[in-house]
Amino acid sequence: MTMTADRVITERPEMTTILRVARKELRSSVTSRWFWMWVLAFVGLALILVLVALPSTRIGGQAGFGRTAASLVTLVQIIVPLMALTLGALSIAAQRETGALRFLMSHPISRTEAFWGLYLGNSAVLAVATTAGFGAAGVLTISRGVTDGTATFAWIAFASWLLAMAMLGIGMLISTFAKRSSAALGVAVFVWLILVFIGDLGVMGTAAATNMPVSVLFFTALANPVEAFRLLALTAFAGSLDALGPAGVYAVDTLGDNLDLSLLIVLLLWLALPVLAAWQRFRGKADL
Amino acid sequence: MRRITLFLVAILVVFPATSASGGEDLQAIIDAAEPGAVVVLQPGTYDGNVTIDKPLTLKGEGWPVIDGGGVGNVITVDAPDVTLTGLVIRNTGDSLDQENAGVNGLAPRVTVVNNRLENVLFGVYLRLGDGSYVADNVIGAMGDEVARRGDGIRLWESSGSTVERNVVEGGRDTVLWFSDDLVIRDNRISDGRYGLHFMYSDRAIVSGNELTRNSVGGFLMYSQDLVLTDNVISHNFGPSGYGIGLKDMDGLTATGNHVISNRVGIYLDNSPATPGVEHQIEGNLFAYNGVGIQFLPSVEGNTLSGNAFVDNAEQVGVQGSGVFDGNTWTVGETGNHWSDFAGYDATGDGRGDIAYRLEDLFSSLTDDHPELQFFDQTPASKAVDLAGQLFPAFRPRPKVEDTAPLIEMPEIPRPISIDASGSLLGTGLLALSLLATAVGLLFVARRPGRRLAP
């Protein structure tokens, strides 16, 4: 061990320290039941979906991988935000409650190093869950003889991980504010409800009641990272957003070739801003 | 094909054949040939923009090229009973006003068999060509934006013609105007605007065609008594995005078609157009479309039975609100197969004991507010459907009521086999590397490492 008590904590965070915290975080996650519950739930649901979604041999593999991907996208929309938000919400709050955070900070490491270590560790946890889910689903799909759409599948797996990272950031932001882990968990579940259900339902209701122009509908919906992920995945496996009616056609007409890029930027903004805010909060005045 | 072979043999026996090789003046060769002669072209490149004004067979051996040089029509046929075969016909002009074509037919009984048409604005364009035969051609149209494209095959007042086994890629439409009693079969038409486009052409038989990746697979308009059987119509997307669109059609019979993965499987606009005319749509497969079959509200007189509706995001849609009645979903004891039928068959007669009713709350919302289709397949849309099931107060009037839904999917044999795409290796490697990433990260976590602190 190179790190000794007289190590001077500098303003410049060290990558090796961050990685060390990250690995510790990943290790403690892997030994927890929560982690295995999430991985098993995601992998299991993905496998069931593939079995159900794969077209029967009587119809032929014509709809193939795209169809499997479509079902997986709905699954990801529901389960990945829930997994990542709760993971993020518990990360700091729960460790604060058990005193693990104070123990961690008793080591000669800066708050910045501790924060990014926790973030990196948790994003590795999410990477395990998503790659395991998509990998297992992919193997099963191939074993059923469907082999088209490889690039699409890879892209959706990657986009799922991006979504997971964005949700992790939001979760950690909640965590830095929460006094207790139970409060953090409650807020995280509420945010999940808003992003996955209530937000869309609200836009739907408003649009139906007020004859909202499709442009407003599209951009309002786009503010939601879960929607940005869905549209990104949909452009990948459907080739366009035409299937989404007038608002989808509007999106294609307005953004054209920049559609994918715009969606990616929305997702990356949601990835960057909450986690940066959480870092500022943790570095500044968050209790240990 | 046999008909054509016999025809060729006959003229070979009767008439002397002339032979020419590349570089010669093709127009001069044609002018010098006797009416009814067989002119054999050897491999080489000939200048196009030629006119054939007498009955003649122009036969290529070893794929001679006739090059229009990017100006006008490549071959104009201005006499009946002309046969073109074994030719590579390329580089028409690009004038939509002049409708530049690879084969510009102006006379009856033109036979265009086994040619390759490359970089042509219009491919085979026959006017007043009754009794013509267009078969086994490969037509690649100019790939500009749709508004600047011509039609792969266009028949104009060419009744009694047959179009079969052609492969048409790109271009605008394969369009049939004012031509009755056509046979359109076993063609593969892809990546165009309207794969097939019928205008005022009655009593056609359309069978065994594969219409894929067009904006609309087939748009059938203002025509009567069309028989549509055993076609594969798939992956037609785009703002219109219909597998088959029907506008003011009368007397359609559609059976044995596979309508798969289109934005809308079949779209009915004022079809049948005449009160009292019935359309029979029987034994077709509608699978994985955005909407299986979509009606405008006033459409009536369609009888649908023995069809399979499998996992269409919306099985049956009605565009806009209004009364939607007058279509029949059950004939005697035969209804349709619905993949989302939640009933049972205790009597064991293969029919559901309760009726299939289509009453999704979300899809009736989108029928009234099309912009809400944006949320199709989201968790929120499923929540809306669930609310509709839980609270009868929200439940809409059923769009479809099928009193004898089929429990088993009816046997609808795949009309055409399609090559599988994609590579086993690529997908396999991807899936395995994803799994390896998961395992690798776990391994990193599990390996006893150095501690954080001494």
Side-chain angles (χ1 to χ4, degrees):
Chain A
M1 184 66 216
T2 53
M3 203 185 288
T4 53
D6 54 50
R7 173 183 178 250
V8 179
I9 303 171
T10 57
E11 277 301 303
R12 178 181 287 277
E14 277 187 28
M15 201 59 206
T16 47
T17 315
I18 293 173
L19 284 176
R20 208 162 286 166
V21 177
R23 225 182 97 196
K24 177 219 139 267
E25 182 68 12
L26 179 60
R27 188 160 58 226
S28 60
S29 286
V30 165
T31 51
S32 83
R33 291 210 181 107
W34 274 95
F35 169 79
W36 287 107
M37 190 197 80
W38 280 126
V39 172
L40 286 180
F42 188 57
V43 172
L45 285 171
L47 290 181
I48 290 169
L49 264 184
V50 171
L51 283 176
V52 174
L54 272 186
S56 74
T57 46
R58 287 168 70 185
I59 298 172
Q62 190 149 24
F65 229 118
R67 195 175 140 67
T68 316
S71 315
L72 281 174
V73 166
T74 308
L75 174 72
V76 167
Q77 268 181 275
I78 295 176
I79 202 164
V80 163
L82 188 61
M83 175 166 68
L85 277 167
T86 52
L87 192 72
L90 288 175
S91 65
I92 295 169
Q95 295 201 25
R96 185 189 294 127
E97 226 163 49
T98 59
L101 194 60
R102 211 169 289 166
F103 175 69
L104 179 69
M105 293 313 300
S106 70
H107 297 93
I109 59 175
S110 70
R111 285 191 168 203
T112 296
E113 288 164 337
F115 179 84
W116 290 111
L118 287 174
Y119 183 70
L120 212 57
N122 281 321
S123 58
V125 170
L126 292 169
V128 172
T130 44
T131 51
F134 275 91
V139 167
L140 184 62
T141 317
I142 293 162
S143 73
R144 304 294 293 281
V146 179
T147 54
D148 55 328
T150 306
T152 304
F153 201 69
W155 175 240
I156 293 175
F158 177 67
S160 303
W161 187 57
L162 285 185
L163 176 69
M165 298 271 282
M167 294 294 128
L168 176 67
I170 297 172
M172 288 184 75
L173 182 60
I174 295 168
S175 205
T176 54
F177 279 95
K179 288 266 185 293
R180 304 167 60 84
S181 64
S182 55
L185 205 55
V187 173
V189 171
F190 185 64
V191 169
W192 173 77
L193 266 179
I194 288 177
L195 291 178
V196 178
F197 290 101
I198 299 172
D200 280 359
L201 286 173
V203 179
M204 250 189 256
T206 316
T210 63
N211 288 323
M212 185 191 273
V214 287
S215 54
V216 179
L217 184 144
F218 173 71
F219 285 109
T220 314
L222 197 61
N224 183 338
V226 181
E227 279 292 329
F229 160 78
R230 176 175 75 100
L231 299 178
L232 204 56
L234 205 60
T235 53
F237 71 76
S240 80
L241 297 181
D242 295 337
L244 296 183
V249 173
Y250 168 83
V252 174
D253 286 350
T254 316
L255 296 172
D257 293 340
N258 294 322
L259 179 63
D260 270 347
L261 186 67
S262 314
L263 296 169
L264 200 59
I265 287 172
V266 170
L267 209 50
L268 289 176
L269 280 177
W270 274 100
L271 199 157
L273 295 180
V275 75
L276 288 176
W279 169 49
Q280 284 303 322
R281 164 90 189 159
F282 186 79
R283 196 175 60 161
K285 54 191 171 190
D287 296 330
L288 290 183
Chain B
M1 192 63 204
R2 181 188 290 163
R3 194 178 108 198
I4 296 310
T5 316
L6 286 174
F7 178 64
L8 285 179
V9 169
I11 40 182
L12 275 172
V13 172
V14 177
F15 300 100
T18 42
S19 182
S21 56
E24 294 175 53
D25 184 346
L26 183 58
Q27 187 67 61
I29 297 167
I30 291 168
D31 291 344
E34 293 292 316
V38 176
V39 176
V40 177
L41 298 184
Q42 299 299 324
T45 302
Y46 301 82
D47 286 335
N49 314 116
V50 295
T51 300
I52 302 175
D53 56 0
K54 66 190 93 171
L56 196 71
T57 295
L58 204 54
K59 179 172 186 278
E61 284 183 351
W63 298 107
V65 174
I66 302 181
D67 195 323
V71 183
N73 303 304
V74 182
I75 299 175
T76 298
V77 177
D78 204 2
D81 301 306
V82 168
T83 298
L84 304 173
T85 183
L87 307 171
V88 176
I89 298 167
R90 66 167 62 139
N91 298 335
T92 63
D94 60 1
S95 166
L96 276 171
D97 294 341
Q98 296 168 20
E99 302 183 322
N100 298 148
V103 175
N104 177 38
L106 305 168
R109 298 182 302 280
V110 178
T111 301
V112 184
V113 174
N114 194 28
N115 300 286
R116 294 187 208 152
L117 289 88
E118 298 166 354
N119 196 35
V120 288
L121 184 64
F122 285 72
V124 177
Y125 189 164
L126 305 183
R127 272 168 278 207
L128 305 174
D130 285 356
S132 290
Y133 184 65
V134 180
D136 300 297
N137 301 288
V138 177
I139 300 171
M142 286 181 183
D144 293 332
E145 54 184 302
V146 171
R148 305 264 319 129
R149 293 189 204 164
D151 298 321
I153 297 174
R154 173 184 275 213
L155 303 190
W156 179 282
E157 293 198 27
S158 301
S159 292
S161 298
T162 297
V163 177
E164 62 185 1
R165 294 187 304 276
N166 298 285
V167 177
V168 183
E169 286 174 4
R172 191 169 56 189
D173 308 345
T174 288
V175 59
L176 312 151
W177 282 90
F178 308 116
S179 303
D180 297 338
D181 304 298
L182 297 174
V183 175
I184 312 288
R185 70 184 159 216
D186 302 333
N187 299 286
R188 297 216 313 265
I189 305 175
S190 61
D191 303 292
R193 185 184 67 158
Y194 299 165
L196 283 176
H197 188 182
F198 271 80
M199 296 296 281
Y200 307 99
S201 296
D202 297 344
R203 297 179 302 280
I205 293 172
V206 180
S207 74
N209 300 287
E210 187 186 321
L211 310 173
T212 52
R213 297 190 307 277
N214 303 286
S215 182
V216 174
F219 222 136
L220 315 178
M221 303 181 182
Y222 313 105
S223 303
Q224 295 178 7
D225 303 323
L226 190 139
V227 177
L228 184 73
T229 59
D230 303 320
N231 300 284
V232 170
I233 299 148
S234 72
H235 297 95
N236 298 292
F237 280 93
S240 353
Y242 307 133
I244 296 289
L246 302 174
K247 170 138 184 68
D248 289 63
M249 289 290 289
D250 267 326
L252 171 85
T253 306
T255 57
N257 299 290
H258 275 219
V259 184
I260 296 173
S261 282
N262 304 284
R263 196 180 67 77
V264 175
I266 292 192
Y267 175 77
L268 292 104
D269 174 2
N270 197 30
S271 297
T274 309
V277 173
E278 286 277 318
H279 280 175
Q280 306 294 331
I281 301 175
E282 286 174 19
N284 302 284
L285 171 65
F286 298 90
Y288 315 135
N289 301 289
V291 184
I293 181 161
Q294 187 170 50
F295 296 80
L296 284 181
S298 57
V299 171
E300 56 184 38
N302 293 282
T303 300
L304 296 97
S305 69
N307 301 290
F309 291 87
V310 179
D311 289 354
N312 301 290
E314 187 179 356
Q315 301 273 40
V316 176
V318 183
Q319 204 174 44
S321 46
V323 181
F324 175 63
D325 285 318
N327 297 289
T328 311
W329 301 91
T330 318
V331 176
E333 278 303 299
T334 304
N336 299 274
H337 173 76
W338 307 90
S339 61
D340 57 338
F341 179 58
Y344 47 84
D345 177 28
T347 51
D349 60 354
R351 310 286 182 267
D353 295 346
I354 54 172
Y356 171 83
R357 284 192 188 83
L358 187 61
E359 46 192 3
D360 292 349
L361 184 55
F362 182 71
S363 65
S364 39
L365 265 180
T366 58
D367 288 343
D368 289 350
H369 300 277
E371 70 274 14
L372 295 187
Q373 280 167 25
F374 187 74
F375 296 101
D376 194 21
Q377 300 298 306
T378 58
S381 74
K382 311 276 184 204
V384 169
D385 277 341
L386 187 67
Q389 283 162 17
L390 292 179
F391 305 108
F394 294 149
R395 203 175 291 161
R397 208 166 83 93
K399 279 185 285 195
V400 171
E401 187 158 3
D402 181 348
T403 50
L406 304 176
I407 298 292
E408 290 290 321
M409 196 173 119
E411 198 67 47
I412 302 168
R414 183 175 190 72
I416 305 162
S417 65
I418 290 180
D419 300 337
S421 59
S423 85
L424 187 66
L425 187 68
T427 321
L429 278 179
L430 171 71
L432 289 178
S433 60
L434 284 173
L435 280 180
T437 310
V439 172
L441 282 167
L442 286 178
F443 181 74
V444 169
R446 273 293 165 87
R447 203 175 48 145
R450 292 177 297 184
R451 289 176 182 282
L452 194 59

